[in-house]
Each structure stands twice: as C-alpha cells, then as structure tokens.
Amino acid sequence: DSGVTQTPKHLITATGQRVTLRCSPRSGDLSVYWYQQSLDQGLQFLIQYYNGEERAKGNILERFSAQQFPDLHSELNLSSLELGDSALYFCASSVSGWDTEAFFGQGTRLTVV
Amino acid sequence: AQTVTQSQPEMSVQEAETVTLSCTYDTSENNYYLFWYKQPPSRQMILVIRQEAYKQQNATENRFSVNFQKAAKSFSLKISDSQLGDTAMYFCAFMKLVGGANNLFFGTGTRLTVIP
C-alpha cells in the first residue's frame, strides 16, 4: 500500500458525460501529479499541483481540469468525454524537496462507452 | 524540456538469467533523480530503484542494480537472477526540482517477459 488513495477504482460512463476522479495523497506530501495511461501505452503527464497551486502542465486537454484543495486532496475533472479518453488515470504524490520519490495510487480505470 | 527514451519496447529473458534495460535522458539540469518503476499486470506502479544524480555510486536493491553514466545521460537497469515475478512493464523516470516542486517524466516503457 503506497498510502495514495484514488477513488473510484473503476468508472464506466457514456460519451459526452462528465466525471470527477479523486486522489488523496500520502500524509505530508504536498505535490500531486496526474497521469493518463492508455492501453499498452506509457504514462502521459497531465498536470501537477504543489500545495494548492498548479506547478506544471503536460498534455492535458482543455476538456480536462484539475485542482488541489486546502486539505491537499486533488480532483481531476474530465468533461465531454470521448471514447479515446478511456484509460487508466494515475495519481501520484511526493514530498517537496530533493530527497523524495513519487508514490502512486492504484489508478482509476475509466471506460467511456 | 526533459525527455526520457527507452529504446527497447520489448525484451525477454530466461529465468535465472540476467537482463539489462536501457534508458537515456536529456536534460540541462545538474541535480536530479532517476527512477525505475515496475508495472505488473495488476497495473500498480511500483518503485524498483532510484539514483541521485549527485551520487557517483550506482544504486542497488537486491537483484536490481543500475549503471548510471551521468556524462552520457544513461541510466540502465540490470536484473540479476530473473524471476517469473519480474515479468512486467518497466518505466524509466526522471525527476527534477522546479520552484520547490518536483516534475516527474516517464519513458515509454519496456515490456519484460521472463521465460520459464
């Protein structure tokens, strides 16, 4: 158990819908990352938050947005869903500073039908 | 921009043998971390080993060791005495510090199959 909690574990929804994925980082971790992994693909970096502020943005679509709340949990909002958005979405967290590593949640598997 | 390249999409190794997975990266930073993550069929991302760029000594974790060549920007993973449980996707990752936060970048992965 990495200490990073993602909910829900599985999500099935229809095209055009909107969903919210939730991530609770490890206790004390200030940085949260979101990644998308499509079938048999590598991890595509979407966005990173640090202590409530957006710190880095990767290949995140305009239909997607995220935020990190004062209690440090984060949510990834996916709207106007398309079939191609079906993927495993990972959240990871890390402590700020050099002596750190990222810990991953178990992912949310999103299926758009 | 940082890039991480894994040039071997798939590899296989006989059980109990040794295999080396390659990774190169591109950065202008001097201080950073490098990681190898394992993703078994369960899809869970598991940290295998990490290397601090300022350390010249190569990291080792039991059967896993790295060959870190900073000048060549190379970071390969050696798995000794391969076991069936090592079958997984392996991702090389690079982390740098930016404005007090860490940015983590992944390669495209190498699928390793251990053959009984």
Side-chain angles (χ1 to χ4, degrees), chain A residues 33 35 37 40-43 48 50 55-56 88 90 94-102 104-106 109, chain B residues 31-33 35 37 39 43-45 47 50 91 95-104 106 108 111:
Chain A
Y33 312 77
Y35 290 88
Q37 185 180 33
D40 292 331
Q41 299 291 314
L43 279 79
Q48 178 197 9
Y50 173 68
R55 278 307 174 110
L88 193 57
F90 282 106
S94 67
V95 180
S96 63
W98 281 112
D99 189 18
T100 185
E101 62 195 57
F104 282 78
Q106 291 194 307
R109 183 174 293 282
Chain B
N31 293 323
Y32 49 87
Y33 278 80
F35 304 86
Y37 281 89
Q39 188 181 43
R43 307 300 292 268
Q44 173 75 48
M45 293 290 289
L47 178 65
R50 71 170 179 170
F91 293 96
M95 175 185 277
K96 66 172 185 176
L97 180 67
V98 176
N102 299 324
N103 285 350
L104 186 62
F106 285 85
T108 52
R111 184 178 302 281

Side-chain angles (χ1 to χ4, degrees), chain A residues 34-71:
Chain A
W34 285 98
Y35 290 88
Q36 179 192 55
Q37 185 180 33
S38 300
L39 188 62
D40 292 331
Q41 299 291 314
L43 279 79
Q44 296 295 317
F45 170 64
L46 295 178
I47 199 164
Q48 178 197 9
Y49 280 83
Y50 173 68
N51 202 22
E53 294 184 1
E54 181 185 305
R55 278 307 174 110
K57 205 174 239 189
N59 298 322
I60 187 167
L61 299 172
E62 286 189 7
R63 300 183 285 110
F64 296 0
S65 64
Q67 55 183 328
Q68 186 179 27
F69 294 87
D71 67 352

Side-chain angles (χ1 to χ4, degrees), chain A residues 1-13:
Chain A
D1 184 4
S2 66
V4 179
T5 304
Q6 287 188 250
T7 56
K9 286 188 171 50
H10 302 277
L11 195 51
I12 301 175
T13 190

